[in-house]
């Protein structure tokens, strides 16, 4: 099995290991590489995690014949059917039943004998065989299997292995389906492109509704955005649960709307809820609804967001912020597709396509016992990582024009950017991402002195850009700020130097003046001004005491005591 022990908190170590494995496999499956390479990497990860004799992923064609076979461990013998990764008889059984196949002792099974007789020459006697179907869109696309080492899994139940391998197989199935419908770079495969060229005016989904030709609310031509849109276009027609991940302000709600609009459910409601904005008691009522008199203030019956989204799509934003107690309630609804209103007894069936979004590191949350592993597996079917704005600098000017056009329309103005103004804004790194860029453009447009916006209209040229403090003091990452990483590692500056993107040229600390301070010098200066009191220094640097403490240790600065 994955592992059998429990830590001091009573949490199974297999949970941590399986979460780590799913996370690593998800990253591999998101890579833009040939399918054979991607699947080989997946099997190699499994081999590094599990004590197994060998593992294999077999991809089948429409006639259930293997077209791709990737293995790790002992190479199967030619006697197993032309060098197949696993015997065809087992493949046929998995395909026919659509269910896992478990053989407790593979060395005694006639199905596995041909595959294992010669491979046992390495002195390692195989144990149990576990194979699961690889599915997508209700179709079996292949198989995922492992052969355990004797003495490892044969004396234990196999439920945990089957559950883990099934989750991996689901991720693999979505990747295979994505590669079959679209190229790894987002371009349509020849057969799909030919179909669209043949029927250009009849592009329809399974319900007969015409698909929108353009997602005009998402602006971007950078490779990072195009890759995300390719995944969105591929996953949208399915009912697969999607997990949108990325920093705050990267536009998770807009991409969720794109998935809905490109799906078969687009004529049905698109309902959204920010889970972090409500306490647990209110959140339960908002999602599941309540009956009249269920609690004080419930003066009438009310349908919840799940009911309102029936037949459509439900976006649960900030999913990582819900409490463990409510996670259990949510998991039941996701598993059973049914719920009961607060204060009610009648069970209601719902058909909802779920999209979740978070800027939280869920893997760390699961490892710390803050987020249920079973809920993590349920929502992390197809993870989509949205790129921060600093990774798509070519889109900044394009987005700025869109936001200014929107401002003009709303306010009856006719403002325009001078080329130098667009050059300036394109150099900014915007730790608040697209949301911060829009706010910057609106503020600048509101206070502009003429119909042409010039560099001097921007707050950063007038020592009024509060975001510059973030650039000098945080890294903009999801793992918590650090005093020097954003301005060095991500701004491309030399280690320890301040970023020149956000400072006022009249400031003595601005690199443009030649009086460039290192982060270590800024930290020491703040500590000296505050009498070496970390809390006071933190206020001067606009950081938290924890961040200052981290920076002191990082730079090996000894705190003076008086």
């Amino acid at each position: 099995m994955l592992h059998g022990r429990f830590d001091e908190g009573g949490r199974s170590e297999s949970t941590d290991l399986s979460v780590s494995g799913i996370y690593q496999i998800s990253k591999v499956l998101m890579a833009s590489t040939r399918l054979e390479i991607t699947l080989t990497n997946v099997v190699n990860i499994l081999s590094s995690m599990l004590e197994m004799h060998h593992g294999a992923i077999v991809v089948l064609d429409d006639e259930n014949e293997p077209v791709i076979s990737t293995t790790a461990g002992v190479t199967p013998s030619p006697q197993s059917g032309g060098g197949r990764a696993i015997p065809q008889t087992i493949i046929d059984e998995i395909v026919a039943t659509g269910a896992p196949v478990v053989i407790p002792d593979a060395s005694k099974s006639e199905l596995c004998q041909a595959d294992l007789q010669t491979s046992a020459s390495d002195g390692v006697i195989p144990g149990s065989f576990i194979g699961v179907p690889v599915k997508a869109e209700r179709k079996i696309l292949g198989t995922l299997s492992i052969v355990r080492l004797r003495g490892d899994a044969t004396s234990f139940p196999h439920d945990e292995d089957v559950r883990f391998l099934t989750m991996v197989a689901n991720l693999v199935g979505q990747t295979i389906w994505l590669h079959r419908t679209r190229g790894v770079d987002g371009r349509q495969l020849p057969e799909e492109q030919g179909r669209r060229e043949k029927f250009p005016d009849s592009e329809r989904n399974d319900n007969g509704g015409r698909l929108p030709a353009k997602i005009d609310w998402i602006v971007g031509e950078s490779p990072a955005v195009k890759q995300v849109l390719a995944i969105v276009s591929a996953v949208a027609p399915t009912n697969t649960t999607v997990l949108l991940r990325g920093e705050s302000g990267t536009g998770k709600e807009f991409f969720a709307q794109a998935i809905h609009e490109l799906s078969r459910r687009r004529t049905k409601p698109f309902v959204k809820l920010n889970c972090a904005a409500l306490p647990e008691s209110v959140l339960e009522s908002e999602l599941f609804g309540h009956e009249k008199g269920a609690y004080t203030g419930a003066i009438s019956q009310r349908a919840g967001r799940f009911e309102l989204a029936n037949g459509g799509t439900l976006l649960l934003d900030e999913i990582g912020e819900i409490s463990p107690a409510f996670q259990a309630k949510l998991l039941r609804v996701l598993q059973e597709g049914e719920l009961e209103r607060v204060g009610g007894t009648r069970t209601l069936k719902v058909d909802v396509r779920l999209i979740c979004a978070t800027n939280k590191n869920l893997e760390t949350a699961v490892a710390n016992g803050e987020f249920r592993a079973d809920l993590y597996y349920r929502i992390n079917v197809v993870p989509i990582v949205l790129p921060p704005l600093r990774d798509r600098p070519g889109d900044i000017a394009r987005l700025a024009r869109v936001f200014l056009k929107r401002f003009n329309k709303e306010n009856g103005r006719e403002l325009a950017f001078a080329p130098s103004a667009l050059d300036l804004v394109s150099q900014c790194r915007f730790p608040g991402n697209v949301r911060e860029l829009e706010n910057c453009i609106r503020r600048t447009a509101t206070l502009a002195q003429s119909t042409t916006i010039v560099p001097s209209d921007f707050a950063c040229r007038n020592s009024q850009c509060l975001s510059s403090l973030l650039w000098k003091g945080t890294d903009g990452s999801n793992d918590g700020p650090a005093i020097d990483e954003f301005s060095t590692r991500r701004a491309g500056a030399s280690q320890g130097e301040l970023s020149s993107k956000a400072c006022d040229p009249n400031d003595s600390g601005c690199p443009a003046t030649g009086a460039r301070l290192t982060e270590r010098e800024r930290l020491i200066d703040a500590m000296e001004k505050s009498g070496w009191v970390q809390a006071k220094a933190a206020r001067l640097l606009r950081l938290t005491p924890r961040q200052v403490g981290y920076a002191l240790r990082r730079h090996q600065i000894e705190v003076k005591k008086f």
Side-chain angles (χ1 to χ4, degrees), residues 544-562:
T544 67
R546 182 188 64 81
Q547 293 164 354
V548 171
Y550 166 79
L552 290 169
R553 293 191 300 272
R554 179 185 177 88
H555 291 290
Q556 298 181 345
I557 299 174
E558 183 178 355
V559 178
K560 297 181 181 180
K561 297 181 180 180
F562 299 95

Side-chain angles (χ1 to χ4, degrees), residues 30 171 174 231 235 240-244 379-384:
M30 291 289 289
L171 293 175
Q174 292 296 327
I231 299 173
V235 76
T240 305
T241 301
V242 175
L243 178 62
L244 297 173
I379 65 176
N380 190 40
V381 181
V382 177
I384 301 178

Side-chain angles (χ1 to χ4, degrees), residues 342-386:
V342 177
T345 57
R346 184 165 62 96
T347 299
L348 305 174
K349 296 288 292 185
V350 290
D351 173 24
V352 173
R353 199 270 181 82
L354 184 67
I355 301 176
C356 298
T358 184
N359 60 9
K360 188 173 184 178
N361 188 324
L362 292 185
E363 289 73 32
T364 299
V366 172
N368 293 337
E370 301 169 356
F371 199 85
R372 292 177 63 103
D374 44 8
L375 180 58
Y376 169 84
Y377 297 139
R378 176 66 60 175
I379 65 176
N380 190 40
V381 181
V382 177
I384 301 178
V385 180
L386 304 185

Side-chain angles (χ1 to χ4, degrees), residues 119 195 224 253 274 278-279 299 309 359 397-398 422 439 466 511 547:
S119 62
R195 186 185 69 82
E253 182 178 321
N274 188 323
L278 302 170
I299 59 176
N359 60 9
R398 187 176 290 106
L422 286 177
N439 292 341
L466 298 180
Q547 293 164 354

Side-chain angles (χ1 to χ4, degrees), residues 9 26 112 170 180 211 220 257-258 324 327 344 361-362 366 441 448 526 538 562:
S26 297
C112 299
N170 289 336
R180 285 185 174 180
L211 294 176
Q257 183 183 353
Q327 291 171 25
N361 188 324
L362 292 185
V366 172
I441 299 304
F562 299 95

Side-chain angles (χ1 to χ4, degrees), residues 23-209:
Y23 177 61
Q24 293 180 47
I25 289 170
S26 297
K27 292 197 298 183
V28 167
L29 293 174
M30 291 289 289
S32 297
T33 58
R34 288 175 46 234
L35 182 59
E36 293 88 340
I37 297 175
T38 298
L39 299 183
T40 299
N41 290 336
V42 171
V43 181
N44 287 335
I45 290 176
L46 290 176
S47 179
S48 67
M49 291 180 56
L50 309 174
E51 296 182 17
M52 66 187 199
H53 189 263
H54 77 262
I57 295 177
V58 178
V59 181
L60 306 174
D61 61 15
D62 292 338
E63 303 299 326
N64 291 332
E65 287 294 324
V67 291
I68 298 176
S69 296
T70 61
T71 62
V74 178
T75 303
S77 70
Q79 297 152 321
S80 62
R84 297 188 190 277
I86 63 174
Q88 184 65 37
T89 50
I90 295 183
I91 293 178
D92 292 341
E93 183 173 348
I94 294 175
V95 172
T97 62
V101 170
V102 178
I103 302 175
D105 192 345
S107 63
K108 296 180 180 179
S109 169
E110 294 182 359
L111 295 177
C112 299
Q113 278 297 305
D115 191 40
L116 300 175
Q117 283 175 346
T118 58
S119 62
S121 60
D122 60 358
V124 180
I125 302 176
S128 55
F129 172 91
I130 305 171
V132 297
V134 174
K135 301 178 181 178
E137 292 300 285
R138 301 178 183 176
K139 182 179 180 181
I140 296 179
L141 304 179
T143 63
L144 167 63
S145 62
I146 64 170
V147 176
R148 282 294 204 176
L149 296 179
R150 179 172 294 280
D152 175 46
T154 52
S155 58
F156 295 98
H158 300 86
D159 293 349
E160 188 173 332
D161 282 340
V162 171
R163 186 163 52 249
F164 174 69
L165 291 177
T166 299
M167 288 184 291
V168 174
N170 289 336
L171 293 175
V172 170
Q174 292 296 327
T175 300
I176 295 172
W177 183 80
L178 173 62
H179 277 255
R180 285 185 174 180
T181 55
R182 295 195 173 249
V184 294
D185 59 355
R187 294 178 296 181
Q188 295 168 356
L189 296 180
E191 57 269 26
E192 179 71 7
Q193 186 174 2
R195 186 185 69 82
R196 292 177 183 266
E197 291 174 351
K198 185 176 180 180
F199 305 105
D201 297 324
S202 59
E203 178 64 23
R204 296 179 179 274
N205 60 19
D206 290 353
N207 287 344

